Amino acid sequence: MDPSKQSYLTKKVISIGVVSELTGLSERQIRYYEERKLIFPKRTDRGTRKYSFSDVEILVEIANKMEDGIQTTELRREMNKHKDREKENNIKKSMIRGQMNAHFNRKNKPL
Amino acid sequence: MDPSKQSYLTKKVISIGVVSELTGLSERQIRYYEERKLIFPKRTDRGTRKYSFSDVEILVEIANKMEDGIQTTELRREMNKHKDREKENNIKKSMIRGQMNAHFNRKNKPL
DNA sequence: CGTGTAAGGAATTCTGACACG
DNA sequence: CGTGTAAGGAATTCTGACACG
């Protein structure tokens, strides 16, 4: 929950050459996975891609799946499932939060 | 203590241009602070500097001190003090560890 | 002392395309 | 489908130096 720790994970600051070294993937592969909507680097003013450590982790997972012979289309479906599940969870969380607020507002702020 | 979290902080993957944006310092300033032994980027095979998030934090602190009119020489002394204090602590820690080991070895492994 | 800048070279990254399969 | 590669251009980074103060 430390916001600074979070930003180290998600801040997009790594260029494609370093990502290539970190993941063992070629730059061609990394760009291709972006084309297939599996990864979403930020772009600087003049168009160079910047990745986060989180992106690097995703790429390592992609590399593993690809080795297993899974196609990029299937991978995209899988990732969307994960995303949907997260959305679900966020909805549940905000509902719970709403209940909590309602509860405490009734007891503590009976304005 | 999570080693992966640690590596996000200390892994040297950020190029000087991004560090410049992140800190608000010019590339000239960043290189100069290296010349004055205040910061220690890694070098890639062909000599380009790579910084960690930890380095970025240090640079921000340096920037603040410089605004206060402190000279780089003083800053280096300060940093060495910190380093010495850390060394002290590490010595103490390993001594305590040694005592602990001795203690438990006596009780549990009376070989 | 700390920082700006112009200089020239080397390395990086980008895109669109052709290739193989 | 996934990836390699050559092509040409644009942007990045590097070092050593001169400048101001």
Side-chain angles (χ1 to χ4, degrees):
Chain A
M1 293 297 179
D2 182 344
S4 67
K5 289 274 165 50
Q6 178 68 9
S7 77
Y8 299 147
L9 190 59
T10 62
K11 195 122 194 166
K12 303 201 180 237
V13 296
I14 314 176
S15 58
I16 196 164
V18 175
V19 172
S20 173
E21 281 178 19
L22 254 33
T23 60
L25 293 165
S26 69
E27 300 185 7
R28 181 69 167 95
Q29 288 174 307
I30 297 168
R31 293 198 190 98
Y32 181 66
Y33 300 150
E34 177 182 358
E35 190 184 319
R36 303 316 310 270
K37 315 269 190 204
L38 297 176
I39 192 85
F40 304 94
K42 204 188 74 177
R43 294 294 186 117
T44 65
D45 294 349
R46 300 137 205 118
T48 67
R49 277 165 264 248
K50 294 297 175 191
Y51 302 83
S52 65
F53 280 110
S54 175
D55 291 331
V56 170
E57 290 184 354
I58 291 170
L59 280 167
V60 170
E61 280 180 42
I62 293 174
N64 289 333
K65 305 280 187 168
M66 293 298 289
E67 274 188 12
D68 298 347
I70 303 184
Q71 292 195 330
T72 56
T73 319
E74 292 184 59
L75 275 179
R76 187 151 82 253
R77 265 187 242 118
E78 261 190 60
M79 301 189 65
N80 282 336
K81 260 186 226 162
H82 286 290
K83 215 171 43 177
D84 288 349
R85 224 174 288 147
E86 269 170 45
K87 270 186 205 159
E88 271 293 310
N89 284 335
N90 283 338
I91 290 169
K92 278 182 200 149
K93 272 184 204 161
S94 65
M95 284 177 67
I96 290 168
R97 212 179 300 126
Q99 300 251 135
M100 301 272 286
N101 284 343
H103 181 71
F104 284 111
N105 282 342
R106 227 181 306 128
K107 296 186 79 168
N108 297 334
K109 292 194 217 154
L111 197 264
Chain B
M1 293 297 180
D2 181 344
S4 66
K5 289 275 164 50
Q6 178 67 7
S7 76
Y8 298 147
L9 190 59
T10 62
K11 195 123 197 167
K12 302 201 183 240
V13 296
I14 314 178
S15 58
I16 196 165
V18 174
V19 172
S20 174
E21 282 179 20
L22 254 33
T23 60
L25 293 166
S26 70
E27 300 185 8
R28 181 70 168 94
Q29 288 174 307
I30 296 168
R31 292 197 191 100
Y32 181 67
Y33 300 150
E34 177 181 357
E35 190 184 319
R36 304 315 312 268
K37 315 267 191 205
L38 297 176
I39 192 84
F40 305 95
K42 203 188 74 177
R43 295 292 187 120
T44 64
D45 294 348
R46 300 138 205 117
T48 66
R49 278 166 263 249
K50 294 297 173 189
Y51 302 82
S52 66
F53 279 110
S54 175
D55 291 331
V56 171
E57 289 184 355
I58 292 171
L59 281 168
V60 170
E61 279 180 43
I62 293 173
N64 289 332
K65 305 280 187 169
M66 293 298 289
E67 275 187 12
D68 297 347
I70 303 183
Q71 291 195 331
T72 57
T73 319
E74 294 182 57
L75 275 179
R76 185 151 82 254
R77 266 188 241 117
E78 261 191 59
M79 299 187 65
N80 283 336
K81 260 186 225 163
H82 285 290
K83 215 171 43 176
D84 288 350
R85 225 174 289 146
E86 270 169 45
K87 269 186 206 159
E88 270 293 311
N89 285 335
N90 285 335
I91 289 169
K92 278 182 200 148
K93 272 184 206 161
S94 65
M95 286 177 65
I96 290 169
R97 214 180 298 125
Q99 299 252 134
M100 300 274 286
N101 284 342
H103 180 70
F104 284 113
N105 284 341
R106 227 184 306 126
K107 296 187 77 167
N108 297 333
K109 292 196 216 155
L111 199 260

